Amino acid sequence: MSFKRSSIIENLRKTQMLDLLSKQKRLDGRALNEYRPITIRLNPIQKANGSAEVSIGDTKVIAGVKVETGEPFPDTPQQGLLIVNAEFLPLSSAMIEPGPPDEDSIEVSRVVDRGIRESQMLNLKELVIEPGKLVYCVFVDIDILNIDGNLFDAAFIAAVLSIATAKYDKKIVNEGKEEITKTPLPLRLIPVSVTSITIGDNILLDPTEEEDSVHDSRMTITFDEEGHLCAGQKGGSVGLSVEQLFKIVDLSKPKAEEIRALIKKVISNAYP
Amino acid sequence: MIKLIDENGLRLDGRRFDELRPVKIEVGVIKNANGSAYIEHGKNKIVAAVYGPREVHPKHLLIPDRAIVRCRYHMSPFSTEERKPPQPTRREIEISLVLRRAMECVLFLEEYPRSIIDVYVEVLQSDGGSRCASITAISAALADSGISMKDLIVGCASGKADGQIILDLSDIEDKEGEGDMPVAYMPNLDKITLLQFDGIFSEEEFKKALDLAIMGNKKIYEVLRKALMEKYFKTEEK
């Protein structure tokens, strides 16, 4: 998110950052392709079907999954519903004011939604109770608690973890009797998104808010477990060359594997 | 499953994998606007209009050393198969955002400090690739308004259907296919200004789809150039 700042100060910051970048350095001393520490708290919310709090550096988000029943969309009668919604809480930054979701929070919602949907993380076909009439609806709500850049990846990891660890009340009719069992959601794989920005010719992974506010362009790419690209979104107000884009893909792909290994470790530690 | 490509390699509408739908552009269709354009790209019928650079309201949006851009992409209720309620959806708000960013890439905003450029896009009839057609129309309207630009922008999507990489997806190919990748491109600067994708692409397919989209964009650029020449060449003759 780049908030409206005085563009004069913005330009000064950019010059300073470019100076450092010419020596391949960042303001916080990280390597260009290095993420800040990722910390994860699983299931902090007992009333949700699944939840996760994720911090990347000072960025902090919490996601909660609620599974309810409802009507399917008319064009997909044989599929359960997946609804992702992100909200920038007014307590997350001095720049955020209460109000209906603005374009930035809508973008986070939609980028996370596409990454999860298009990677086919969930087998939505298994969430049907009565085709065309009644299905399970997976609501993934993401609250942004503190903003310090790279909300896309923090929100994505939180969403993926809360879905992967969620258990819902599945109704099964057995010999005329209705039974309810706590069932995990029909998971197929763990997708991972990697966000980078370009400043001049440099590509920086996991930008902080300060870096993000002076980016030329931004790119978020979601990978499935086979290394396929499943979703992507360019941001920023400067054009990107094809070579730069391919370089971003090359840098992002191994990072996605690292993050996926971390996510899987967290899940298997909690549910051995 | 619907078969999108037949055994002869032809798509449902008879195109080959690398063929565009017909594109028609007309410049200067809204008299009140500072610049405007109408595009037909396949079944898409889209009108774009530019107002400004003009005074900023509300004032707190103002930036002292450059212009700000505001964009509204909107679909008319009758533009889709089923009526679309007129209030903006999350999809429309996101597209407005990516279109705005795409045009910020091409404008010399520092030439218009303390002002605002309003760009309105109305989709009268929608088909696959409406955001791409919109950016082409916007770029024509911006050029028509005379605002300083670094290049023109054109938009065209590529994607994947029946396992093949194809150019310029139609509505049904977008819905039933395996992937969609809208790309907006500045042909003279050779830079991408808008890129989104969803679906499942291997790295090789991703590169192929991007190349194909850029090739399609270069063809649309010729149509756009011609449309602009037509209007301004005629004016000179008078």
Side-chain angles (χ1 to χ4, degrees):
Chain A
M1 309 308 102
S2 45
F3 299 112
K4 280 163 213 95
R5 292 200 177 145
S6 152
S7 45
I8 296 157
I9 295 176
E10 222 171 73
N11 288 341
L12 282 171
R13 276 177 191 283
K14 194 167 180 171
T15 320
Q16 185 194 10
M17 220 171 275
L18 276 175
D19 254 11
L20 272 174
L21 280 174
S22 65
K23 296 169 213 141
Q24 298 293 295
K25 279 188 187 151
R26 289 166 85 163
L27 287 170
D28 54 8
R30 277 185 290 156
L32 299 196
N33 68 344
E34 194 180 336
Y35 264 62
R36 291 166 291 174
I38 301 176
T39 51
I40 292 165
R41 212 149 63 91
L42 266 190
N43 287 319
I45 310 295
Q46 283 75 37
K47 290 198 172 176
N49 294 91
S51 61
E53 186 186 272
V54 173
S55 304
I56 304 184
D58 286 337
T59 285
K60 191 195 280 195
V61 312
I62 186 166
V65 167
K66 286 278 198 187
V67 182
E68 294 175 354
T69 54
E71 240 180 83
F73 291 132
D75 54 340
T76 52
Q78 304 272 12
Q79 280 186 22
L81 295 189
L82 169 72
I83 291 161
V84 180
N85 184 48
E87 196 172 334
F88 287 34
L89 301 182
L91 55 76
S92 64
S93 150
M95 309 301 291
I96 305 289
E97 282 169 27
D102 68 342
E103 53 183 24
D104 288 328
S105 62
I106 288 173
E107 189 184 26
V108 172
S109 307
R110 288 183 54 89
V111 169
V112 173
D113 182 296
R114 279 201 289 270
I116 291 172
R117 195 179 299 279
E118 300 296 333
S119 66
Q120 296 168 22
M121 176 184 181
L122 279 176
N123 187 354
L124 294 175
K125 292 201 173 89
E126 278 185 32
L127 292 173
V128 179
I129 303 167
E130 202 182 329
K133 294 224 170 98
L134 198 63
V135 296
Y136 291 103
C137 312
V138 182
F139 291 92
V140 185
D141 285 285
I142 305 162
D143 279 353
I144 311 287
L145 294 171
N146 194 65
I147 297 183
D148 189 20
N150 202 6
L151 297 174
F152 288 96
D153 294 352
F156 199 81
I157 296 170
V160 163
L161 275 169
S162 53
I163 292 172
T165 58
K167 292 210 166 78
Y168 69 107
D169 293 337
K170 189 171 186 174
K171 288 192 193 87
I172 303 168
V173 181
N174 210 349
E175 292 167 5
K177 265 197 292 182
E178 204 173 78
E179 282 175 28
I180 289 176
T181 48
K182 291 263 177 217
T183 314
L185 288 168
L187 212 64
R188 294 184 58 252
L189 51 91
I190 300 287
V192 176
S193 79
V194 175
T195 298
S196 56
I197 57 167
T198 65
I199 301 177
D201 288 332
N202 300 287
I203 298 166
L204 290 75
L205 297 191
D206 181 30
T208 62
E209 179 58 30
E210 200 167 23
E211 291 166 338
D212 209 9
S213 66
V214 299
H215 69 227
D216 290 336
S217 55
R218 191 196 68 224
M219 193 71 213
T220 301
I221 303 175
T222 307
F223 296 90
D224 70 7
E225 292 197 359
E226 281 155 48
H228 293 140
L229 294 83
C230 316
Q233 175 97 337
K234 179 192 177 298
S237 304
V238 174
L240 205 57
S241 71
V242 175
E243 299 79 59
Q244 266 176 317
L245 182 61
F246 290 168
K247 233 188 249 172
I248 290 172
V249 175
D250 288 345
L251 279 170
S252 303
K253 210 170 166 179
K255 199 50 83 174
E257 290 313 312
E258 274 176 42
I259 298 171
R260 186 172 0 256
L262 172 76
I263 294 177
K264 287 196 161 174
K265 207 173 100 192
V266 169
I267 297 175
S268 67
N269 282 350
Y271 301 95
Chain B
M1 273 303 267
I2 301 172
K3 213 167 155 19
L4 296 168
I5 301 175
D6 71 10
E7 48 289 333
N8 301 319
L10 293 179
R11 292 150 71 176
L12 289 176
D13 51 11
R15 286 184 289 154
R16 303 221 160 261
F17 78 98
D18 60 349
E19 247 179 281
L20 287 170
R21 289 167 295 177
V23 180
K24 210 180 92 187
I25 301 169
E26 199 184 327
V27 179
V29 291
I30 306 286
K31 291 284 167 281
N32 283 339
N34 296 92
S36 60
Y38 171 75
I39 187 168
E40 285 185 15
H41 186 151
K43 291 195 192 85
N44 280 306
K45 294 178 199 288
I46 299 167
V47 54
V50 176
Y51 283 87
R54 60 184 177 183
E55 210 176 322
V56 185
H57 287 296
K59 277 272 183 261
H60 68 87
L61 295 175
L62 178 149
I63 297 180
D65 66 349
R66 64 179 173 91
I68 55 173
V69 179
R70 198 158 45 185
C71 176
R72 179 191 189 250
Y73 164 99
H74 185 252
M75 292 173 92
S76 298
F78 47 75
S79 64
T80 47
E81 216 60 68
E82 267 173 46
R83 177 175 185 269
K84 192 210 82 74
Q87 50 276 45
T89 58
R90 295 211 304 187
R91 175 180 170 277
E92 286 168 286
I93 294 171
E94 189 201 359
I95 293 181
S96 302
L97 172 68
V98 294
L99 290 177
R100 190 193 78 217
R101 285 192 193 130
M103 64 183 121
E104 281 171 349
C105 295
V106 83
L107 295 169
F108 284 103
L109 295 173
E110 60 280 10
E111 281 191 22
Y112 310 98
R114 312 174 68 81
S115 56
I116 189 164
I117 299 165
D118 277 306
V119 177
Y120 301 111
V121 180
E122 193 66 35
V123 179
L124 303 174
Q125 180 168 281
S126 73
D127 194 355
S130 75
R131 75 195 70 183
C132 292
S134 296
I135 196 68
T136 312
I138 287 173
S139 147
L142 284 169
D144 182 40
S145 76
I147 294 175
S148 306
M149 295 166 80
K150 300 168 188 168
D151 197 346
L152 289 168
I153 311 181
V154 276
C156 182
S158 57
K160 195 172 152 188
D162 294 354
Q164 267 196 64
I165 299 298
I166 54 171
L167 182 66
D168 194 19
L169 278 67
S170 66
D171 226 352
I172 187 150
E173 290 169 333
D174 184 9
K175 282 203 186 85
E176 304 292 331
E178 295 121 68
D180 175 29
M181 185 189 293
V183 178
Y185 177 70
M186 298 189 282
N188 295 297
L189 296 172
D190 190 22
K191 289 271 168 74
I192 297 159
T193 65
L194 179 158
L195 172 68
Q196 297 181 293
F197 57 89
D198 53 71
I200 295 197
F201 295 92
S202 70
E203 221 176 304
E204 198 184 321
E205 286 169 337
F206 173 74
K207 292 182 177 178
K208 210 169 144 189
L210 193 70
D211 280 345
L212 194 61
I214 287 176
M215 187 211 79
N217 270 321
K218 286 180 175 161
K219 285 186 184 159
I220 296 175
Y221 175 63
E222 291 310 316
V223 182
L224 174 58
R225 246 177 71 96
K226 229 186 196 163
L228 284 166
M229 297 276 277
E230 202 158 287
K231 177 176 177 190
Y232 287 97
F233 188 62
K234 270 185 192 156
T235 317
E236 267 172 37
E237 265 186 345
K238 274 178 193 166

